[in-house]
Amino acid sequence: MVDYPTQVCYIRPKNKALPASDAPQKVEHFSWHEIPDNLDEIRQSTNVFVSTSHNEPFGLSILEAMAAGMCVIIPRDNAYWDQVLEHNVNCIKYDSSDVNSLTNALLYATSDLALIQQVGKAAQLIAQDYQAQLAYDDIACTLCQPSCDADCVETSNGEAQL
């Protein structure tokens, strides 16, 4: 078995009623970072991102990892990214309530560098569609109907800006 150096970045929930892992723990080859100041630097030195948040409405951290070209491992929980991403195409999924499923997903991902790179590239393509200008353009145009034309300015490329 190959030992991979592992960087674990985490945030403790402010709501103590939410379930949380007991972190950090002493594990060989693991470095733990609670709310690190150098998250971008850590992200640049890694290639797999694991989300253990269940039923997260959007998951900005997942989008950021996808934009960085990382292979994202997400829970099957019917949340936003579970519905948008496809297992073995642009993510790897695990059963959200099964620690063995997460373990197997991690072992699966780390057994094949080509898979990590392929899934990461596909995820990065998905992330490119989440540019603010593209994501909110239809909303801005809807808001800029004739009744509010005075507040809406059309740019040279035909997009509306409030």
Side-chain angles (χ1 to χ4, degrees):
M1 180 177 163
V2 178
D3 292 318
Y4 293 97
T6 304
Q7 306 281 337
V8 179
C9 301
Y10 64 98
I11 300 171
R12 291 185 196 281
K14 291 180 181 172
N15 180 347
K16 299 293 183 188
L18 293 174
S21 299
D22 185 20
Q25 295 184 16
K26 187 166 176 60
V27 180
E28 192 173 355
H29 304 291
F30 274 58
S31 299
W32 297 82
H33 311 276
E34 184 174 6
I35 314 173
D37 291 333
N38 61 337
L39 183 59
D40 288 338
E41 181 182 315
I42 293 168
R43 189 180 287 132
Q44 288 175 354
S45 69
T46 59
N47 53 15
V48 175
F49 173 87
V50 180
S51 173
T52 56
S53 297
H54 298 180
N55 301 307
E56 192 165 325
F58 177 72
L60 183 58
S61 60
I62 295 171
L63 178 60
E64 290 170 341
M66 291 167 53
M70 298 174 77
C71 171
V72 295
I73 299 177
I74 62 169
R76 279 188 192 94
D77 59 2
N78 208 32
Y80 181 80
W81 289 114
D82 183 27
Q83 293 178 36
V84 170
L85 300 178
E86 186 178 344
H87 179 68
N88 275 344
V89 175
N90 41 38
C91 76
I92 295 173
K93 296 183 183 182
Y94 67 94
D95 295 328
S96 63
S97 59
D98 184 354
V99 69
N100 290 325
S101 179
L102 175 56
T103 301
N104 290 334
L106 286 165
L107 291 172
Y108 173 66
T110 58
S111 70
D112 186 352
L113 183 58
L115 172 71
I116 290 172
Q117 293 170 338
Q118 175 186 330
V119 169
K121 280 189 182 302
Q124 193 170 41
L125 290 174
I126 298 286
Q128 290 173 357
D129 288 339
Y130 285 84
Q131 297 173 26
Q133 182 176 339
L134 296 174
Y136 298 114
D137 199 41
D138 287 343
I139 296 168
C141 287
T142 300
L143 294 173
C144 291
Q145 294 302 314
S147 63
C148 64
D149 274 341
D151 296 331
C152 188
V153 177
E154 189 171 304
T155 63
S156 60
N157 63 359
E159 296 171 346
Q161 289 184 343
L162 295 176

